[in-house]
Amino acid sequence: MLESYIRSYNDAVFETDKEAAMAVVNKALADGVTPENIVFRLIIPAIEMMMAIIEKDPDANLAQHFMTAQIAADVTEKMLEKFSQPPEVIGRIVIGAAHGDLHSLGKRIVSGCLKALMVEVIDLGVNVSAERFVDAAVSENAQVIAISAMMVHTATGENGSQRVRALLQERGLEQKIKLAVGGAPYRFDPELYRKVGADAWAADGVTAGKMIVNLIREVKNDTA
Amino acid sequence: MTPLEILAAAINGKPAPRIPIFCNLLDQGARELAMTSKDYFSNGALVAEAQLKMLKRYGHDNVWSLHYVGKEAELLGCREILFANDGAPNVADFVIKSLDDISRFEIPPDITQVPAWQSVASCLQILKSEIGNTHPICAYVTASTTLPVILMGMEKWMELFLLGPFELRDELLRKCADFFHQYISALRAAGANVLVYSSPFGSPYFLSPDKIKKMVLPWMKHDLEPGGVADVVYYCGMAPFNNVIDLVFDELHITKHYTSPLDDLTTAKRIINTRGLTCGVIDDIKMIHWTVEETRAEVKRIIDIGKPGGHFLFGNGVMPLAVPEANIRAMVDAAFEYGGLE
């Protein structure tokens, strides 16, 4: 039964039709699906299916990524208020736009997906210094630092990800905190993430959710 | 033949000694004049001087009147640009901070009277008097559906564009289109002869082709109708757009296409064919870490695809400052070497 909801929900999301997607969720609720099952058996599988679709479909576009994250985050937030007990979180990340970068869309898409996937997201905003990324990750006990950079110099500059990597190394944090990057320059040079010292990258905000969840699991396994 | 004649020959499929070679160098101007980015961009005469010096240094075909993309936001009231000495300036003050600002947002009655226009005007005046009869002088105009990105940020614009309130969205689009009409007309009058129409929302990377047709195309038509498209180049901010090239031909009648390195060039050339000009674009972000040999090999690959049958131009995107000068030199030299037609 939930499979048909997932299909209808993703069809609506793929058409960037928020009203239709919300109608599917409301119908499921009216049919007696619990808020917990809405999140864990509808929204999360729908995001995972969307990740698979986007990975395979080169024609998936930014509007679809945006709506996937936006709707999932909205629904999850509403459902969490109705949960009988707080859900278990997978992990925690700090996210922000690189030093000198004022673009915020990418991190919003990533954050929306992660929140729906039960990852706690601490958003540091835009134009974030390397020191602030690392300090926040330590104080928040985050497993991942995620840095968005939409301009070439903010992706490759010495005050961006490269500096974060250097600080993680200096402070002996490389096993405890992984570094993820994303943004336009990385799409043009898929090897660029290695050159700026990151552990992983993703070509879009939705699949970034999957990549970050994998990094969180890696850290938890390494430090267990 | 002059570079302008070579460009015309490529567009019209006429004989020429070589293909046109565009090298888009913007932020390099400050380095050329050994200045900070902020000081350099504050004076249009300096921008023109650097463009002419770099033209002489590399020998490519085109110059730019564009200072930085945020210049259009400054013309509309943006009060702060974040300059960087290692990259492109960034809009730091959004003119539209909340949806309530849209009704208060006004387009100046005459943008050529706005202080931010003066540096563009002085740059174009110099370029026109020095090389206006011989070289392509490029200007950059942002489509009405994309301009809100630098006025309110991509995040808020994407939300307004897709989720509404749609009356407000359309009010903002009408104002942006009014600005577009003034701006492109002012650039033409000041001497720009290649108008790069930047329309990322006209790329399937941003929206589905169906949404482009329904939501973006009508505004693009509205943008371009008054002045025509004879001097206009379709460009999606380096985003791919092969899937809408036919639509752009049929509905907008734009015949010059500045493709994305993320597009398949063979496909783009096949679609455009002899109907117009295919601009094959090198991935200049990869040029940051390429060797001279790798750069030359990529130039050769692109020209080998594009040159047969003519109607082809070689160019780069927006050269990152981190690209070594040796690679810029190698790119231009290889384009001359492989781009010969005689």
Side-chain angles (χ1 to χ4, degrees):
Chain A
M1 186 178 168
L2 281 179
E3 280 70 28
S4 72
Y5 289 127
I6 292 170
R7 265 198 308 277
S8 306
Y9 173 87
N10 268 350
D11 285 348
V13 170
F14 225 67
E15 287 300 314
T16 62
D17 187 342
K18 187 178 180 182
E19 273 181 30
M22 295 308 280
V24 174
V25 172
N26 289 332
K27 172 87 170 48
L29 278 173
D31 289 347
V33 181
T34 63
E36 284 84 350
N37 278 342
I38 293 281
V39 172
F40 290 109
R41 296 185 59 196
L42 197 167
I43 300 298
I44 292 178
I47 292 177
E48 285 167 349
M49 188 185 286
M50 189 63 84
M51 287 170 177
I53 291 169
I54 287 171
E55 271 181 341
K56 285 180 199 154
D57 180 3
D59 292 335
N61 58 64
L62 191 61
Q64 289 162 334
H65 303 165
F66 175 75
M67 293 302 274
T68 299
Q70 179 73 23
I71 299 169
D74 284 358
V75 172
T76 304
E77 195 178 320
K78 285 189 182 113
M79 294 303 113
L80 283 175
E81 290 168 7
K82 301 175 197 278
F83 271 34
S84 51
Q85 57 184 29
E88 190 182 336
V89 296
I90 291 176
R92 189 176 292 143
I93 74 152
V94 294
I95 192 167
H99 175 75
D101 202 306
L102 304 170
H103 297 83
S104 58
L105 179 68
K107 70 180 177 60
R108 176 163 166 181
I109 295 174
V110 178
S111 299
C113 288
L114 287 172
K115 282 175 187 171
L117 293 168
M118 298 298 131
V119 174
E120 275 185 29
V121 178
I122 295 113
D123 187 346
L124 303 179
V126 296
N127 193 12
V128 180
S129 70
E131 287 73 12
R132 196 159 159 245
F133 270 120
V134 176
D135 290 345
V138 171
S139 66
E140 298 288 349
N141 200 19
Q143 290 85 29
V144 175
I145 294 172
I147 304 180
S148 163
M150 290 303 291
M151 303 168 84
V152 175
H153 72 285
T154 60
T156 61
E158 56 188 25
N159 293 320
S161 301
Q162 292 193 61
R163 176 81 185 130
V164 171
R165 169 56 64 204
L167 289 172
L168 291 175
Q169 205 168 17
E170 276 170 27
R171 299 185 195 177
L173 294 168
E174 289 182 297
Q175 294 305 309
K176 290 182 184 168
I177 301 170
K178 295 292 175 187
L179 176 57
V181 294
Y186 300 102
R187 295 179 59 244
F188 285 89
D189 183 353
E191 287 302 307
L192 192 58
Y193 81 99
R194 293 184 200 278
K195 293 160 189 159
V196 303
D199 293 300
W201 81 290
D204 62 81
V206 177
T207 48
K210 185 178 173 184
M211 173 267 287
I212 287 170
V213 166
N214 288 340
L215 285 178
I216 289 171
R217 292 198 172 117
E218 204 179 300
V219 171
K220 287 197 161 180
N221 286 339
D222 287 352
T223 55
Chain B
M1 289 173 86
T2 65
L4 209 48
E5 289 166 339
I6 289 170
L7 177 61
I11 291 168
N12 299 313
K14 303 288 184 196
R18 60 172 172 82
I19 61 169
I21 296 160
F22 274 30
C23 181
N24 305 320
L25 303 168
L26 301 176
D27 304 318
Q28 286 77 6
R31 191 164 63 194
E32 184 73 24
L33 300 186
M35 303 180 77
T36 65
S37 169
K38 189 174 184 179
D39 288 344
Y40 168 70
F41 284 122
S42 68
N43 185 339
L46 294 174
V47 175
E49 182 189 343
Q51 285 292 319
L52 293 169
K53 277 191 167 181
M54 292 188 290
L55 188 73
K56 200 171 174 188
R57 177 197 296 267
Y58 296 109
H60 53 287
D61 287 332
N62 66 315
V63 290
W64 273 93
S65 65
L66 173 67
H67 291 37
Y68 42 84
V69 173
K71 179 57 79 176
E72 286 172 86
E74 285 186 300
L75 288 166
L76 290 168
C78 162
R79 285 172 297 190
E80 190 186 350
I81 296 288
L82 180 63
F83 288 94
N85 287 327
D86 60 348
N90 210 336
V91 172
D93 164 50
F94 289 129
V95 175
I96 297 168
K97 295 177 178 68
S98 75
L99 294 182
D100 292 340
D101 290 338
I102 291 175
S103 60
R104 293 190 286 267
F105 172 59
E106 286 183 8
I107 305 303
D110 180 357
I111 61 151
T112 65
Q113 298 305 310
V114 174
W117 167 257
Q118 304 318 315
S119 64
V120 180
S122 63
C123 175
L124 273 167
Q125 188 184 23
I126 294 166
L127 293 176
K128 185 183 177 186
S129 70
E130 293 285 328
I131 56 168
N133 294 324
T134 54
H135 287 70
I137 299 174
C138 301
Y140 180 97
V141 261
T142 305
S144 57
T145 47
T146 297
L147 187 61
V149 172
I150 57 171
L151 300 177
M152 62 194 300
M154 175 62 102
E155 184 181 348
K156 282 193 180 139
W157 174 235
M158 188 65 101
E159 193 169 344
L160 178 60
F161 188 81
L162 293 171
L163 299 172
F166 298 120
E167 299 85 3
L168 271 185
R169 176 194 69 187
D170 292 346
E171 183 182 347
L172 180 56
L173 284 167
R174 276 192 296 277
K175 290 177 178 179
C176 288
D178 288 349
F179 171 78
F180 181 92
H181 293 151
Q182 272 202 59
Y183 191 46
I184 195 168
S185 168
L187 289 166
R188 281 175 171 139
N193 53 24
V194 173
L195 281 304
V196 176
Y197 180 59
S198 178
S199 186
F201 273 64
S203 158
Y205 173 72
F206 283 76
L207 297 170
S208 67
D210 186 49
K211 280 214 159 31
I212 291 172
K213 200 168 184 176
K214 285 182 187 150
M215 297 168 71
V216 182
L217 190 66
W219 287 103
M220 293 200 290
K221 279 184 175 177
H222 181 62
D223 286 347
L224 297 165
E225 218 157 33
V229 295
D231 51 3
V232 171
V233 178
Y234 195 74
Y235 169 71
C236 291
M238 301 298 278
F241 64 90
N242 271 1
N243 288 355
V244 297
I245 288 174
D246 279 332
L247 186 72
V248 172
F249 265 106
D250 295 345
E251 301 287 340
L252 299 178
H253 312 296
I254 298 175
T255 58
K256 297 110 189 161
H257 298 264
Y258 212 85
T259 64
S260 164
L262 300 178
D263 265 324
D264 177 47
L265 182 59
T266 307
T267 305
K269 183 78 201 285
R270 179 176 47 75
I271 298 169
I272 297 165
N273 207 337
T274 56
R275 291 188 292 172
L277 184 72
T278 303
C279 306
V281 179
I282 194 167
D283 184 342
D284 47 22
I285 292 178
K286 284 185 179 157
M287 281 175 67
I288 295 171
H289 296 103
W290 273 343
T291 62
V292 162
E293 289 71 29
E294 285 170 321
T295 303
R296 285 179 56 82
E298 181 61 5
V299 174
K300 183 176 186 304
R301 186 191 72 81
I302 290 169
I303 292 178
D304 282 349
I305 294 170
K307 195 170 79 168
H311 294 270
F312 184 72
L313 173 153
F314 173 84
N316 70 302
V318 182
M319 191 70 76
L321 257 183
V323 172
E325 197 191 339
N327 280 357
I328 301 174
R329 164 66 60 202
M331 181 193 87
V332 176
D333 288 351
F336 274 96
E337 186 180 330
Y338 301 121
L341 294 167
E342 287 178 337

